[in-house]
Amino acid sequence: MKILAKAGVSALALTLALSAAAQAEDVEVLHWWTAGGEAAALNVLKENLAGQDIGWKDMPVAGGGGEAAMTALRARVTAGDPPTAVQMLGFDILDWAQQGEVLADLNEVAAAENWDAVIPAAIQKFSKPDGTWIAAPVNVHSTNWVWANKAMLDEMGIAEPTTWDEFIAALQKVKDSGKVALAHGGQPWQDATIFDSAVLATGGPELYTKAFIDLDPAALNSPEMVQAFDKMTQLRGFVDDNFSGRDWNLASAMVINNEAAFQIMGDWAKGEFLNAGKVPGTDFLCFRVPGTAGVVTFNSDEFVMFKQGDDAAKQAQNAMASAIESPEFQIAFNKVKGSVPARTDVADTDFDDCGKKGMAQLKEASEKGTLLGSMAHGHANPAAVKNAIYDVVTAHFNGEYDSTQAAEELANAVEAAQ
Amino acid sequence: MASVHSTAEPDFRTKLQDWLPKLVLSPSVAAMVVFVYGFIVYTIYLSFTDSKMLPSYDWVGFKNYATLFGLSAWSTALVNLAVFASLYIVICMAIGLLLAIFLDQKIRGESVLRPIYLYPMALSFIVTGTAWKWFLDPGIGLEHTMHLWGWESFKFGWIKDRNMAIYTLVIAAVWQSSGFVMAMFLAGLRGIDNEMLKAAQIDGASNWQLYRRIVIPLLRPAFMSAFVILAHLAIKSYDLVIALTGGGPGRATELPATFMYSYTFTRNQMGVGAASAVIMLMGVAAVMVPYIYSELKEKK
């Protein structure tokens, strides 16, 4: 049976691998950063490696969340021909780490460059499971941001809200003026992204940790969770009728084009604002979702290294890992991507106001222990559980459940998915 | 001499003639056995294992099936399939038959009209889905256009309504397939013996009676083929849903195929995904087996 499977999968992999007859000193990189800015940022890494005579075999698999890329990767690994490095997120990394001997060991590079000290512990949980460095973190995105249209707020006399109630009052004021208050795209992951913040604003890091990281049934079906769902109902009242199925960047465009006042979205939204020629602080505001100050929910793109056969390939792999963690690449890449560097000892001089804010808050949260993996982006629990939570959150947001039912369903769904 | 040879061993040429078809066919048969039937068996096997992210071979019995039928998403998917498949098949056949009958009236320009109706079939479901997604979107499509033209009260927001979204799938799928069904019925109509119709007309049958009593019953094989093709298209429809609604709003347009993909490849629950694939296979078999059986019986 196993032979049969391998034959089939390798035939599948053959078509994917035809272009990838890599030389020993090349690195082959599977990623889904195909958008203009992302590709430009990867060039920095490419050039660094080219300076060390290491070739770059690009294996881009398009598709935002990387689902297609992960399917391609499975085929390659099952066929015994893994790429050098693969862009990956959160629990996908841990799932691969559990598959036994397929991942490389980067401890040597990590020790030489002192990664243990400069990379926040919350991120090491993913890049260094069981004490072995298997991945090089590229960036840290954080997801509890609000992006606001400054001109619109000034016109209506709305100050930057600092508490949840002020936020709701501000949303109401915008709604009363006839504009869309909250730009949102009704896709399950986007609903879950704002749910991250709703839970934090209700029960703080304690509820968040108990519910999403410990998966405690009592916390999942608690009165506080019902309140968190009530917050979702409140927010649902401020989105336009046409929200469902809209892509996140179209929602950002609504804020950019003065059609909507606020958007709750991760810091990749900043790229859309910058591309539209907007300046942080003067044209748009970035601030943490009111009620979640001091906490940072993150997701982190990492290059997971797969075990290579010969020494030359291993050398190239180590060089690549080292290049990724170099401050120059961290700065160049994250400036474009909207995220902040994965190491906390990088100078923030080259970053814009939002970037500086993000870096300072990341450092602070990391020291206080309030740097939490984002549930919505697969950094709090495994894919099966994450998707089970998505199901309930999106069903509630679309009116299938009331808040009490939703909390019950949440506990059931998480239990069933474990 | 030839006659001497023919009584003994057949010569090389004859042998080759015997073997050539088998030789030519064998690679494709082998490929089919492995890549279709082999993987069907493999999937069935996986559905009884605890496979999560990668295939694993630890036997867990019917556990995946129990999980599957306990999932509310799977029951949603089955109900959606029932609604979608029955409407899709019935409406496609009705429109297809009507178009075929109209086109069969020896009208001028038939050769132009036929490809116009048939053409949507040339588009993939993903294109159909994307086009209809834009057309049905209240913000940019039909509703928006009507508002621009001055009909302010016009409302058509089905695609954003979780109770109605499944019907937008039916609209797009019917648009895509009914021309093809028309072509099948048209071929059937052209195959009917004119003498029989003339005889009935002489006996004083009206047009309505002609179609109801003679033509439609004679189209039985065409109905059967259309049903089989539409039914399996409905069961395996995936790309249309992904392009049109992405399974939303919420999870309102989840179908078994989208369920299977998401559990196998994005939720790391390959065992449950394989179980749902097996159930889908059984659904297709429930359609195909009686059909093949009746086809074989007619040949006798």
Side-chain angles (χ1 to χ4, degrees):
Chain A
M1 203 54 80
K2 204 158 190 173
I3 294 163
L4 196 66
K6 280 206 172 160
V9 179
S10 46
L12 189 70
L14 194 65
T15 50
L16 297 167
L18 272 180
S19 59
Q23 291 170 18
E25 62 274 30
D26 284 353
V27 287
E28 192 188 6
V29 185
L30 173 60
H31 63 93
W32 61 90
W33 280 325
T34 46
E38 296 167 341
L42 270 187
N43 259 333
V44 179
L45 186 59
K46 253 181 245 186
E47 276 159 22
N48 180 324
L49 292 174
Q52 308 177 44
D53 271 340
I54 296 170
W56 179 282
K57 291 262 175 200
D58 214 27
M59 188 183 168
V61 181
E67 285 176 18
M70 287 302 114
T71 311
L73 174 64
R74 261 176 253 239
R76 288 284 301 268
V77 172
T78 318
D81 176 32
T84 315
V86 181
Q87 179 197 355
M88 223 184 268
L89 287 166
F91 270 78
D92 282 346
I93 303 175
L94 299 184
D95 281 346
W96 277 104
Q98 282 170 10
Q99 294 301 319
E101 300 291 298
V102 291
L103 300 184
D105 180 346
L106 301 175
N107 276 350
E108 206 181 307
V109 192
E113 300 186 356
N114 203 16
W115 292 5
D116 283 316
V118 295
I119 293 169
I123 292 162
Q124 287 188 25
K125 189 184 155 194
F126 298 103
S127 23
K128 190 193 173 188
D130 312 321
T132 309
W133 283 92
I134 51 165
V138 178
N139 62 6
V140 186
H141 279 295
S142 62
T143 59
N144 55 332
W145 283 106
V146 180
W147 307 92
N149 182 318
K150 186 156 189 292
M152 239 163 125
L153 298 196
D154 289 347
E155 197 181 300
M156 292 179 217
I158 299 170
E160 187 181 300
T162 52
T163 66
W164 185 266
D165 290 335
E166 279 177 38
F167 186 38
I168 296 297
L171 287 164
Q172 187 62 48
K173 209 164 179 179
V174 180
K175 193 183 178 186
D176 292 342
S177 79
K179 298 262 190 182
V180 178
L182 186 64
H184 179 63
Q187 293 166 334
W189 71 268
Q190 294 190 52
D191 297 339
T193 301
I194 62 176
F195 189 61
D196 267 2
S197 297
V199 170
L200 275 177
T202 313
E206 299 77 32
L207 177 66
Y208 188 93
T209 313
K210 261 194 240 159
F212 292 154
I213 295 171
D214 305 338
L215 302 176
D216 171 18
L220 286 165
N221 185 13
S222 63
E224 276 181 308
M225 193 55 81
V226 177
Q227 284 171 24
F229 276 112
D230 282 339
K231 285 198 165 56
M232 295 293 282
T233 315
Q234 279 183 318
L235 294 177
R236 172 72 179 80
F238 296 115
V239 302
D240 60 321
D241 291 340
N242 202 15
F243 76 101
S244 77
R246 179 188 286 144
D247 288 323
W248 67 270
N249 53 335
L250 298 180
S252 302
M254 291 169 69
V255 179
I256 294 168
N257 300 331
N258 298 320
E259 289 164 30
F262 299 100
Q263 182 189 18
I264 302 175
M265 183 47 62
D267 47 22
W268 47 91
K270 192 174 80 180
E272 296 290 309
F273 285 87
L274 297 181
N275 275 340
K278 304 287 176 186
V279 182
T282 44
D283 296 318
F284 68 95
L285 298 176
C286 52
F287 52 92
R288 294 291 168 184
V289 176
T292 70
V295 187
V296 173
T297 49
F298 75 92
N299 67 344
S300 166
D301 285 297
E302 314 209 357
F303 274 119
V304 175
M305 302 295 175
F306 281 78
K307 191 168 266 182
Q308 298 298 306
D310 57 273
D311 279 338
K314 276 180 202 158
Q315 290 297 328
Q317 187 171 50
N318 282 342
M320 183 184 168
S322 167
I324 291 169
E325 294 312 323
S326 72
E328 301 80 53
F329 170 71
Q330 291 276 331
I331 291 169
F333 184 86
N334 288 303
K335 252 173 32 189
V336 183
K337 188 77 166 66
S339 44
V340 302
R343 47 195 292 170
T344 47
D345 63 338
V346 177
D348 67 355
T349 36
D350 286 350
F351 287 82
D352 59 34
D353 287 355
C354 289
K356 285 188 171 123
K357 219 182 204 179
M359 286 171 73
Q361 287 170 348
L362 175 77
K363 197 167 181 192
E364 190 197 326
S366 171
E367 280 157 12
K368 274 187 359 195
T370 51
L371 181 60
L372 300 171
S374 161
M375 176 279 292
H377 296 271
H379 281 65
N381 42 52
V385 175
K386 177 188 85 173
N387 282 292
I389 297 176
Y390 275 18
D391 290 348
V392 179
V393 171
T394 196
H396 171 266
F397 201 74
N398 282 284
E400 242 176 279
Y401 303 131
D402 66 29
S403 300
T404 322
Q405 279 174 323
E408 275 168 33
E409 276 298 317
L410 192 64
N412 292 341
V414 167
E415 199 198 332
Q418 272 177 300
Chain B
M1 282 186 187
S3 59
V4 179
H5 275 290
S6 67
T7 51
E9 283 279 286
D11 69 357
F12 178 69
R13 230 183 115 119
T14 331
K15 264 205 259 180
L16 190 67
Q17 266 177 356
D18 259 10
W19 278 97
L20 198 60
K22 288 170 192 153
L23 272 175
V24 171
L25 281 180
S26 57
S28 67
V29 169
M32 282 283 261
V33 166
V34 173
F35 291 109
V36 177
Y37 301 98
F39 280 106
I40 288 177
V41 173
Y42 184 53
T43 304
I44 294 173
Y45 182 78
L46 279 185
S47 76
F48 291 105
T49 66
D50 68 345
S51 303
K52 292 252 186 279
M53 188 170 79
L54 291 174
S56 123
Y57 304 97
D58 292 328
W59 191 264
V60 292
F62 282 92
K63 187 165 161 280
N64 288 326
Y65 291 89
T67 314
L68 180 66
F69 282 93
L71 283 169
S72 69
W74 178 245
S75 17
T76 317
L78 288 183
V79 171
N80 279 340
L81 178 64
V83 173
F84 171 70
S86 51
L87 286 175
Y88 169 59
I89 293 170
V90 169
I91 298 176
C92 260
M93 284 206 191
I95 293 180
L97 181 63
L98 218 62
L99 287 176
I101 289 174
F102 287 153
L103 264 191
D104 196 34
Q105 306 303 315
K106 314 246 158 29
I107 52 168
R108 210 183 290 175
E110 190 202 314
S111 53
V112 178
L113 286 174
R114 214 170 32 199
I116 289 179
Y117 286 122
L118 193 55
Y119 200 72
M121 193 68 186
L123 299 178
S124 74
F125 268 117
I126 207 102
V127 175
T128 307
T130 311
W132 279 90
K133 177 184 170 181
W134 292 334
F135 182 70
L136 294 171
D137 189 301
I140 53 174
L142 181 66
E143 186 177 307
H144 181 65
T145 313
M146 287 298 166
H147 289 182
L148 286 182
W149 289 349
W151 186 359
E152 290 291 338
S153 61
F154 182 84
K155 274 235 166 288
F156 192 75
W158 280 11
I159 198 167
K160 304 284 179 182
D161 179 343
R162 75 189 158 89
N163 295 315
M164 305 305 283
I166 187 77
Y167 301 108
T168 62
L169 284 185
V170 177
I171 296 175
V174 164
W175 177 83
Q176 160 108 337
S177 311
S178 49
F180 168 69
V181 177
M182 172 206 79
M184 288 179 69
F185 282 137
L186 197 57
L189 285 173
R190 295 285 150 83
I192 290 172
D193 188 1
N194 258 329
E195 296 299 316
M196 203 177 338
L197 299 182
K198 278 187 190 139
Q201 267 170 339
I202 289 165
D203 287 344
S206 70
N207 255 346
W208 166 247
Q209 281 172 323
L210 207 64
Y211 274 104
R212 205 176 69 87
R213 297 281 175 81
I214 301 173
V215 175
I216 291 177
L218 280 174
L219 282 178
R220 206 182 72 97
F223 270 108
M224 280 298 286
S225 318
F227 175 76
V228 166
I229 288 171
L230 293 175
H232 94 269
L233 277 179
I235 293 173
K236 70 180 193 189
S237 44
Y238 171 80
D239 31 11
L240 182 68
V241 193
I242 294 299
L244 190 65
T245 64
R251 326 198 50 198
T253 47
E254 185 95 74
L255 287 182
T258 59
F259 178 97
M260 192 278 286
Y261 183 85
S262 80
Y263 273 75
T264 312
F265 295 113
T266 66
R267 300 184 174 217
N268 295 346
Q269 288 176 280
M270 198 176 265
V272 177
S276 71
V278 172
I279 302 287
M280 282 169 64
L281 175 72
M282 284 162 65
V284 175
V287 176
M288 294 301 288
V289 169
Y291 174 70
I292 293 169
Y293 182 74
S294 73
E295 285 282 286
L296 291 179
K297 223 169 73 175
E298 268 169 31
K299 295 271 158 60
K300 277 180 192 169

